[in-house]
Short mmCIF file of all heavy atoms in Angstrom, two decimals:
data_model
loop_
_atom_site.label_atom_id
_atom_site.label_comp_id
_atom_site.label_asym_id
_atom_site.label_seq_id
_atom_site.Cartn_x
_atom_site.Cartn_y
_atom_site.Cartn_z
N GLY P 1 -0.33 -8.85 17.28
CA GLY P 1 -0.26 -10.30 17.30
C GLY P 1 1.18 -10.77 17.29
O GLY P 1 2.12 -9.98 17.35
N SER P 2 1.33 -12.05 17.20
CA SER P 2 2.65 -12.65 17.20
C SER P 2 3.20 -12.64 15.78
O SER P 2 2.81 -13.45 14.94
CB SER P 2 2.59 -14.08 17.74
OG SER P 2 3.87 -14.67 17.77
N VAL P 3 4.09 -11.69 15.54
CA VAL P 3 4.68 -11.51 14.22
C VAL P 3 6.19 -11.42 14.36
O VAL P 3 6.70 -10.61 15.14
CB VAL P 3 4.14 -10.25 13.53
CG1 VAL P 3 4.80 -10.07 12.17
CG2 VAL P 3 2.64 -10.32 13.38
N PHE P 4 6.89 -12.23 13.60
CA PHE P 4 8.34 -12.14 13.61
C PHE P 4 8.81 -10.92 12.85
O PHE P 4 9.67 -10.17 13.32
CB PHE P 4 8.95 -13.41 13.03
CG PHE P 4 10.45 -13.34 12.89
CD1 PHE P 4 11.26 -13.35 14.01
CD2 PHE P 4 11.04 -13.26 11.64
CE1 PHE P 4 12.64 -13.28 13.89
CE2 PHE P 4 12.42 -13.19 11.51
CZ PHE P 4 13.23 -13.20 12.64
N SER P 5 8.25 -10.72 11.68
CA SER P 5 8.60 -9.55 10.89
C SER P 5 7.46 -9.21 9.94
O SER P 5 6.75 -10.09 9.47
CB SER P 5 9.89 -9.78 10.10
OG SER P 5 9.73 -10.80 9.13
N ILE P 6 7.31 -7.94 9.71
CA ILE P 6 6.38 -7.45 8.70
C ILE P 6 7.20 -7.03 7.50
O ILE P 6 7.93 -6.04 7.56
CB ILE P 6 5.53 -6.29 9.23
CG1 ILE P 6 4.72 -6.74 10.44
CG2 ILE P 6 4.62 -5.76 8.13
CD1 ILE P 6 3.89 -5.64 11.07
N ASN P 7 7.08 -7.77 6.45
CA ASN P 7 7.93 -7.56 5.29
C ASN P 7 7.42 -6.45 4.38
O ASN P 7 8.21 -5.78 3.72
CB ASN P 7 8.07 -8.86 4.51
CG ASN P 7 8.58 -9.99 5.37
OD1 ASN P 7 9.56 -9.84 6.09
ND2 ASN P 7 7.90 -11.13 5.32
N ALA P 8 6.12 -6.29 4.35
CA ALA P 8 5.54 -5.24 3.53
C ALA P 8 4.16 -4.90 4.07
O ALA P 8 3.47 -5.76 4.63
CB ALA P 8 5.45 -5.65 2.07
N MET P 9 3.76 -3.67 3.89
CA MET P 9 2.42 -3.25 4.24
C MET P 9 1.90 -2.37 3.11
O MET P 9 2.68 -1.74 2.40
CB MET P 9 2.38 -2.49 5.57
CG MET P 9 2.85 -3.31 6.75
SD MET P 9 2.60 -2.51 8.35
CE MET P 9 0.83 -2.77 8.56
N GLY P 10 0.61 -2.35 2.97
CA GLY P 10 0.05 -1.57 1.90
C GLY P 10 -1.40 -1.24 2.12
O GLY P 10 -2.05 -1.72 3.06
N TRP P 11 -1.89 -0.40 1.24
CA TRP P 11 -3.28 0.00 1.23
C TRP P 11 -3.90 -0.35 -0.11
O TRP P 11 -3.30 -0.09 -1.16
CB TRP P 11 -3.43 1.50 1.48
CG TRP P 11 -3.10 1.91 2.88
CD1 TRP P 11 -1.91 2.38 3.35
CD2 TRP P 11 -3.98 1.87 4.00
NE1 TRP P 11 -1.98 2.64 4.68
CE2 TRP P 11 -3.25 2.35 5.12
CE3 TRP P 11 -5.31 1.50 4.18
CZ2 TRP P 11 -3.81 2.44 6.39
CZ3 TRP P 11 -5.87 1.60 5.45
CH2 TRP P 11 -5.11 2.06 6.53
N TYR P 12 -5.06 -0.93 -0.05
CA TYR P 12 -5.83 -1.28 -1.22
C TYR P 12 -7.22 -0.67 -1.09
O TYR P 12 -7.66 -0.34 0.01
CB TYR P 12 -5.94 -2.79 -1.38
CG TYR P 12 -4.65 -3.48 -1.74
CD1 TYR P 12 -3.62 -3.60 -0.83
CD2 TYR P 12 -4.48 -4.04 -3.01
CE1 TYR P 12 -2.43 -4.23 -1.15
CE2 TYR P 12 -3.30 -4.69 -3.35
CZ TYR P 12 -2.29 -4.78 -2.41
OH TYR P 12 -1.12 -5.42 -2.75
N ARG P 13 -7.90 -0.54 -2.19
CA ARG P 13 -9.28 -0.07 -2.14
C ARG P 13 -10.12 -0.91 -3.08
O ARG P 13 -9.63 -1.44 -4.08
CB ARG P 13 -9.39 1.42 -2.47
CG ARG P 13 -8.94 1.81 -3.87
CD ARG P 13 -8.90 3.33 -3.99
NE ARG P 13 -8.51 3.78 -5.30
CZ ARG P 13 -8.26 5.04 -5.62
NH1 ARG P 13 -8.37 5.99 -4.70
NH2 ARG P 13 -7.90 5.37 -6.86
N GLN P 14 -11.37 -1.02 -2.73
CA GLN P 14 -12.27 -1.85 -3.50
C GLN P 14 -13.67 -1.26 -3.47
O GLN P 14 -14.26 -1.09 -2.40
CB GLN P 14 -12.30 -3.28 -2.95
CG GLN P 14 -13.14 -4.25 -3.75
CD GLN P 14 -13.02 -5.66 -3.24
OE1 GLN P 14 -12.68 -5.89 -2.08
NE2 GLN P 14 -13.29 -6.63 -4.11
N ALA P 15 -14.16 -0.96 -4.64
CA ALA P 15 -15.54 -0.52 -4.79
C ALA P 15 -16.42 -1.73 -5.04
O ALA P 15 -15.97 -2.77 -5.51
CB ALA P 15 -15.66 0.49 -5.93
N ALA P 16 -17.69 -1.56 -4.74
CA ALA P 16 -18.64 -2.65 -4.95
C ALA P 16 -18.63 -3.11 -6.40
O ALA P 16 -18.72 -2.30 -7.32
CB ALA P 16 -20.04 -2.20 -4.55
N GLY P 17 -18.50 -4.40 -6.58
CA GLY P 17 -18.51 -4.97 -7.90
C GLY P 17 -17.22 -4.85 -8.67
O GLY P 17 -17.16 -5.24 -9.84
N LYS P 18 -16.18 -4.34 -8.04
CA LYS P 18 -14.90 -4.18 -8.70
C LYS P 18 -13.81 -4.93 -7.95
O LYS P 18 -13.96 -5.31 -6.80
CB LYS P 18 -14.53 -2.70 -8.80
CG LYS P 18 -15.46 -1.89 -9.68
CD LYS P 18 -14.95 -0.47 -9.85
CE LYS P 18 -15.85 0.33 -10.76
NZ LYS P 18 -15.83 -0.23 -12.15
N GLN P 19 -12.71 -5.15 -8.65
CA GLN P 19 -11.58 -5.82 -8.04
C GLN P 19 -10.86 -4.91 -7.05
O GLN P 19 -10.84 -3.69 -7.21
CB GLN P 19 -10.59 -6.28 -9.11
CG GLN P 19 -11.10 -7.36 -10.04
CD GLN P 19 -10.04 -7.82 -11.02
OE1 GLN P 19 -8.98 -7.21 -11.14
NE2 GLN P 19 -10.32 -8.90 -11.72
N ARG P 20 -10.30 -5.52 -6.05
CA ARG P 20 -9.48 -4.78 -5.11
C ARG P 20 -8.19 -4.35 -5.81
O ARG P 20 -7.52 -5.16 -6.46
CB ARG P 20 -9.18 -5.63 -3.88
CG ARG P 20 -8.53 -4.89 -2.74
CD ARG P 20 -8.50 -5.74 -1.47
NE ARG P 20 -9.84 -6.04 -1.00
CZ ARG P 20 -10.09 -6.71 0.13
NH1 ARG P 20 -9.09 -7.14 0.89
NH2 ARG P 20 -11.35 -6.94 0.49
N GLU P 21 -7.85 -3.09 -5.68
CA GLU P 21 -6.69 -2.57 -6.37
C GLU P 21 -5.71 -1.95 -5.40
O GLU P 21 -6.08 -1.40 -4.36
CB GLU P 21 -7.11 -1.54 -7.43
CG GLU P 21 -7.73 -0.28 -6.87
CD GLU P 21 -8.03 0.76 -7.93
OE1 GLU P 21 -7.83 0.48 -9.12
OE2 GLU P 21 -8.47 1.87 -7.57
N LEU P 22 -4.46 -2.02 -5.78
CA LEU P 22 -3.40 -1.43 -4.97
C LEU P 22 -3.47 0.08 -5.02
O LEU P 22 -3.60 0.68 -6.08
CB LEU P 22 -2.04 -1.89 -5.49
CG LEU P 22 -0.82 -1.22 -4.86
CD1 LEU P 22 -0.64 -1.67 -3.42
CD2 LEU P 22 0.44 -1.50 -5.66
N VAL P 23 -3.39 0.69 -3.85
CA VAL P 23 -3.27 2.13 -3.74
C VAL P 23 -1.81 2.51 -3.51
O VAL P 23 -1.24 3.33 -4.22
CB VAL P 23 -4.15 2.68 -2.62
CG1 VAL P 23 -3.96 4.19 -2.47
CG2 VAL P 23 -5.62 2.35 -2.88
N ALA P 24 -1.22 1.90 -2.50
CA ALA P 24 0.17 2.17 -2.17
C ALA P 24 0.70 1.04 -1.31
O ALA P 24 -0.05 0.41 -0.56
CB ALA P 24 0.32 3.50 -1.44
N SER P 25 1.98 0.79 -1.41
CA SER P 25 2.61 -0.23 -0.59
C SER P 25 4.01 0.23 -0.22
O SER P 25 4.60 1.09 -0.87
CB SER P 25 2.67 -1.58 -1.32
OG SER P 25 3.49 -1.50 -2.48
N ILE P 26 4.52 -0.38 0.83
CA ILE P 26 5.86 -0.06 1.29
C ILE P 26 6.48 -1.33 1.85
O ILE P 26 5.86 -2.07 2.60
CB ILE P 26 5.85 1.09 2.32
CG1 ILE P 26 7.28 1.49 2.69
CG2 ILE P 26 5.03 0.73 3.54
CD1 ILE P 26 7.34 2.80 3.46
N THR P 27 7.72 -1.58 1.49
CA THR P 27 8.44 -2.75 1.96
C THR P 27 9.26 -2.41 3.18
O THR P 27 9.36 -1.25 3.59
CB THR P 27 9.33 -3.33 0.86
OG1 THR P 27 10.33 -2.36 0.50
CG2 THR P 27 8.52 -3.67 -0.38
N SER P 28 9.87 -3.43 3.75
CA SER P 28 10.66 -3.23 4.96
C SER P 28 11.87 -2.34 4.73
O SER P 28 12.35 -1.71 5.68
CB SER P 28 11.10 -4.57 5.53
OG SER P 28 11.87 -5.31 4.60
N ASP P 29 12.36 -2.28 3.50
CA ASP P 29 13.50 -1.42 3.22
C ASP P 29 13.09 -0.03 2.76
O ASP P 29 13.94 0.77 2.39
CB ASP P 29 14.42 -2.07 2.18
CG ASP P 29 13.78 -2.21 0.81
OD1 ASP P 29 12.60 -1.88 0.66
OD2 ASP P 29 14.47 -2.67 -0.11
N GLY P 30 11.79 0.25 2.79
CA GLY P 30 11.32 1.57 2.46
C GLY P 30 10.92 1.80 1.03
O GLY P 30 10.53 2.92 0.67
N THR P 31 10.99 0.78 0.21
CA THR P 31 10.58 0.92 -1.18
C THR P 31 9.07 1.10 -1.27
O THR P 31 8.31 0.32 -0.68
CB THR P 31 11.00 -0.30 -2.00
OG1 THR P 31 12.43 -0.46 -1.92
CG2 THR P 31 10.61 -0.14 -3.46
N THR P 32 8.64 2.10 -2.00
CA THR P 32 7.23 2.39 -2.12
C THR P 32 6.73 2.17 -3.54
O THR P 32 7.50 2.24 -4.50
CB THR P 32 6.92 3.84 -1.70
OG1 THR P 32 7.67 4.75 -2.51
CG2 THR P 32 7.28 4.06 -0.24
N ASN P 33 5.45 1.94 -3.63
CA ASN P 33 4.80 1.76 -4.91
C ASN P 33 3.42 2.38 -4.82
O ASN P 33 2.72 2.20 -3.82
CB ASN P 33 4.70 0.28 -5.27
CG ASN P 33 4.21 0.04 -6.68
OD1 ASN P 33 4.46 0.83 -7.57
ND2 ASN P 33 3.52 -1.08 -6.88
N TYR P 34 3.03 3.11 -5.86
CA TYR P 34 1.76 3.81 -5.86
C TYR P 34 0.99 3.53 -7.14
O TYR P 34 1.57 3.35 -8.21
CB TYR P 34 1.96 5.32 -5.76
CG TYR P 34 2.56 5.80 -4.47
CD1 TYR P 34 3.94 5.95 -4.34
CD2 TYR P 34 1.76 6.11 -3.38
CE1 TYR P 34 4.50 6.39 -3.16
CE2 TYR P 34 2.31 6.56 -2.19
CZ TYR P 34 3.68 6.70 -2.09
OH TYR P 34 4.23 7.14 -0.91
N ALA P 35 -0.31 3.52 -7.00
CA ALA P 35 -1.16 3.51 -8.18
C ALA P 35 -0.99 4.82 -8.92
O ALA P 35 -0.80 5.88 -8.31
CB ALA P 35 -2.62 3.31 -7.79
N VAL P 36 -1.05 4.75 -10.23
CA VAL P 36 -0.89 5.95 -11.04
C VAL P 36 -1.91 7.02 -10.65
O VAL P 36 -1.59 8.21 -10.61
CB VAL P 36 -1.00 5.61 -12.54
CG1 VAL P 36 -1.00 6.88 -13.38
CG2 VAL P 36 0.13 4.69 -12.96
N SER P 37 -3.11 6.60 -10.32
CA SER P 37 -4.17 7.54 -10.04
C SER P 37 -3.96 8.35 -8.76
O SER P 37 -4.59 9.39 -8.58
CB SER P 37 -5.51 6.81 -9.96
OG SER P 37 -5.49 5.84 -8.93
N VAL P 38 -3.09 7.87 -7.87
CA VAL P 38 -2.88 8.56 -6.60
C VAL P 38 -1.47 9.11 -6.46
O VAL P 38 -1.20 9.85 -5.51
CB VAL P 38 -3.19 7.65 -5.40
CG1 VAL P 38 -4.58 7.05 -5.54
CG2 VAL P 38 -2.14 6.57 -5.24
N LYS P 39 -0.60 8.78 -7.38
CA LYS P 39 0.78 9.21 -7.27
C LYS P 39 0.86 10.73 -7.27
O LYS P 39 0.26 11.40 -8.10
CB LYS P 39 1.62 8.63 -8.41
CG LYS P 39 3.11 8.68 -8.17
CD LYS P 39 3.85 7.85 -9.21
CE LYS P 39 5.33 7.75 -8.89
NZ LYS P 39 6.04 6.89 -9.87
N GLY P 40 1.61 11.25 -6.32
CA GLY P 40 1.71 12.69 -6.17
C GLY P 40 0.72 13.27 -5.20
O GLY P 40 0.89 14.42 -4.77
N ARG P 41 -0.32 12.53 -4.87
CA ARG P 41 -1.33 12.99 -3.93
C ARG P 41 -1.31 12.22 -2.62
O ARG P 41 -1.60 12.80 -1.57
CB ARG P 41 -2.73 12.88 -4.55
CG ARG P 41 -2.92 13.71 -5.81
CD ARG P 41 -4.37 13.70 -6.27
NE ARG P 41 -4.83 12.36 -6.63
CZ ARG P 41 -5.84 11.72 -6.03
NH1 ARG P 41 -6.49 12.29 -5.02
NH2 ARG P 41 -6.20 10.51 -6.43
N PHE P 42 -0.99 10.94 -2.69
CA PHE P 42 -0.98 10.09 -1.50
C PHE P 42 0.46 9.77 -1.12
O PHE P 42 1.34 9.65 -1.99
CB PHE P 42 -1.72 8.78 -1.75
CG PHE P 42 -3.21 8.90 -1.94
CD1 PHE P 42 -3.82 10.14 -2.04
CD2 PHE P 42 -3.99 7.76 -2.02
CE1 PHE P 42 -5.19 10.25 -2.22
CE2 PHE P 42 -5.35 7.85 -2.20
CZ PHE P 42 -5.96 9.10 -2.30
N THR P 43 0.68 9.59 0.16
CA THR P 43 1.99 9.22 0.66
C THR P 43 1.85 8.11 1.69
O THR P 43 1.11 8.26 2.67
CB THR P 43 2.71 10.41 1.30
OG1 THR P 43 2.81 11.49 0.36
CG2 THR P 43 4.12 10.02 1.73
N ILE P 44 2.56 7.03 1.48
CA ILE P 44 2.55 5.93 2.42
C ILE P 44 3.81 5.98 3.27
O ILE P 44 4.89 6.33 2.79
CB ILE P 44 2.42 4.57 1.71
CG1 ILE P 44 2.17 3.44 2.72
CG2 ILE P 44 3.63 4.27 0.84
CD1 ILE P 44 1.79 2.12 2.07
N SER P 45 3.66 5.65 4.53
CA SER P 45 4.79 5.60 5.44
C SER P 45 4.52 4.53 6.49
O SER P 45 3.39 4.07 6.65
CB SER P 45 5.04 6.96 6.10
OG SER P 45 3.92 7.37 6.86
N ARG P 46 5.57 4.13 7.17
CA ARG P 46 5.40 3.12 8.20
C ARG P 46 6.28 3.41 9.39
O ARG P 46 7.33 4.04 9.28
CB ARG P 46 5.68 1.71 7.64
CG ARG P 46 7.12 1.49 7.17
CD ARG P 46 7.29 0.12 6.53
NE ARG P 46 7.13 -0.96 7.50
CZ ARG P 46 7.16 -2.26 7.20
NH1 ARG P 46 7.34 -2.64 5.94
NH2 ARG P 46 7.00 -3.17 8.16
N ASP P 47 5.82 2.94 10.52
CA ASP P 47 6.58 3.00 11.76
C ASP P 47 6.89 1.56 12.11
O ASP P 47 6.05 0.84 12.65
CB ASP P 47 5.77 3.69 12.85
CG ASP P 47 6.56 3.88 14.13
OD1 ASP P 47 7.48 3.09 14.41
OD2 ASP P 47 6.26 4.85 14.87
#
C-alpha cells in the first residue's frame, strides 16, 4: 500500500478469550523486543 515509512513491525498472538500479547517487535533502527516466554527461541527480523 501507500506507506511513507514503516516505523515498527511486530508479531502478536491471541488465544480465544485472552488479550492479544506481544511476541516480538522491531523498530526501524533495529531495536527488538521479545516476550519473556519466547526470548531465546524466537527471532524477529525485517527487510
Side-chain angles (χ1 to χ4, degrees):
S2 181
V3 179
F4 175 70
S5 65
I6 299 178
N7 305 311
M9 299 188 76
W11 289 96
Y12 291 70
R13 62 189 181 188
Q14 184 174 24
K18 295 186 178 295
Q19 294 183 350
R20 189 170 297 184
E21 65 176 5
L22 172 71
V23 177
S25 64
I26 185 167
T27 63
S28 58
D29 66 356
T31 301
T32 58
N33 188 32
Y34 295 92
V36 173
S37 60
V38 307
K39 197 169 187 177
R41 299 188 297 119
F42 292 8
T43 304
I44 190 170
S45 61
R46 63 184 293 176
D47 185 332

